[in-house]
Amino acid sequence: MLKVLRARWQQGYRTIRYPKGPAPDLPEQFAGRPEIDSGKCTEQCNRCVEVCPTRAIQRARETGRLSLDTGRCLFCRECERACDAKAVRFSREFRLASSSRQSLVVSDDSPLPPLTMDDAIYRLLGRSLKLRQVSAGGCNACEADTNVLNTVGWDLGRFGIQLVASPRHADGLLITGPVPQNMRLALEKTYQAVPSPKIVIAVGACAIQGGPYVDHPEVHHGADCVVPVDLFVPGCPPHPLTILHALLAAVGAIPRA
């Protein structure tokens, strides 16, 4: 026992201090919120549009301006590599989540997306948040990054946020995966089992728009095709810090907008 206590003492404080302190260092390969500068396009080459596997990036015919839907984006950076003019680049900005699906579309000089919650839900759920995680056909990447938040390094429970085993004990759902047809009924029943008022959070490109399976006949175009979604967290998968930022906004631990 003394050896265990001594080892723990030597480890020191290991939980990140965010949001009261600085955010933890992000890995070098981290791809954050995209930045678009259509003015750098020297020609209508469309290479960035052509290489996107989910058609997340588009060019307006009338204006020639580029837009990138982070809800569809896999953050593979193929568009960034294809653009010699550097009109598309991925920043280090981890604040990607939004309460508005349309606000996930980034174009020239787009502001950070809003994170606003219904006041009635916020008054009831602002002190704590119990979520039932539903893996609706996911590859386990978004699920893994969500579960990381329960480790000592992140300690999600200190904010009053917990993942629970039963939807009847939950305030809402945290959905991952593209919601294939075989999971539709299960998701609907799980949603119905959560007492009202409730919140639904879609985590990852699959849960938002179908991810790499978009337009596949067996996959719905996001969880909001089956249940109403209040909060969208882009990424493939989203970094734990991106998910944490969204959850903290949901409980009011950081400014919601």
Side-chain angles (χ1 to χ4, degrees), residues 32-73:
R33 191 168 188 264
E35 295 178 347
I36 306 292
D37 187 351
S38 300
K40 290 184 176 180
C41 292
T42 56
E43 56 179 327
Q44 300 284 337
C45 66
N46 276 338
R47 283 195 295 269
C48 59
V49 177
E50 293 167 357
V51 298
C52 181
T54 60
R55 300 185 305 283
I57 188 166
Q58 299 291 330
R59 181 192 299 277
R61 290 183 179 179
E62 299 80 8
T63 63
R65 287 165 61 95
L66 295 170
S67 64
L68 197 158
D69 186 351
T70 59
R72 297 176 72 111
C73 181

Side-chain angles (χ1 to χ4, degrees), residues 98-231:
S98 178
S99 51
S100 165
R101 176 66 183 88
Q102 184 58 38
S103 295
L104 297 182
V105 179
V106 177
S107 58
D108 298 70
D109 301 319
S110 292
L112 284 175
L115 269 170
T116 56
M117 306 301 298
D118 182 84
D119 286 339
I121 293 178
Y122 177 71
R123 283 195 297 271
L124 286 172
L125 307 182
R127 293 179 180 269
S128 66
L129 187 61
K130 314 298 181 187
L131 296 170
R132 175 66 170 97
Q133 183 177 355
V134 179
S135 178
C139 70
N140 206 40
C142 293
E143 293 84 348
D145 275 7
T146 299
N147 291 336
V148 162
L149 298 177
N150 288 316
T151 64
V152 67
W154 298 84
D155 192 15
L156 185 63
R158 64 192 158 119
F159 303 109
I161 307 173
Q162 294 179 328
L163 300 179
V164 297
S166 171
R168 299 191 183 279
H169 300 159
D171 301 311
L173 302 179
L174 189 151
I175 304 171
T176 55
V179 195
Q181 181 61 31
N182 287 343
M183 275 295 298
R184 179 182 183 119
L185 181 60
L187 179 58
E188 289 175 340
K189 287 189 174 182
T190 305
Y191 175 79
Q192 293 166 3
V194 178
S196 296
K198 47 195 164 187
I199 182 174
V200 176
I201 304 171
V203 173
C206 285
I208 295 175
Q209 194 68 36
Y213 312 102
V214 63
D215 294 332
H216 192 283
E218 291 298 321
V219 172
H220 300 91
H221 286 184
D224 62 349
C225 291
V226 181
V227 296
V229 174
D230 303 287
L231 196 55

Side-chain angles (χ1 to χ4, degrees), residues 81-102:
R81 286 187 281 267
C83 182
D84 296 332
K86 305 301 180 185
V88 182
R89 62 177 296 271
F90 286 83
S91 71
R92 308 286 292 172
E93 178 57 69
F94 63 85
R95 293 172 294 177
L96 297 165
S98 178
S99 51
S100 165
R101 176 66 183 88
Q102 184 58 38

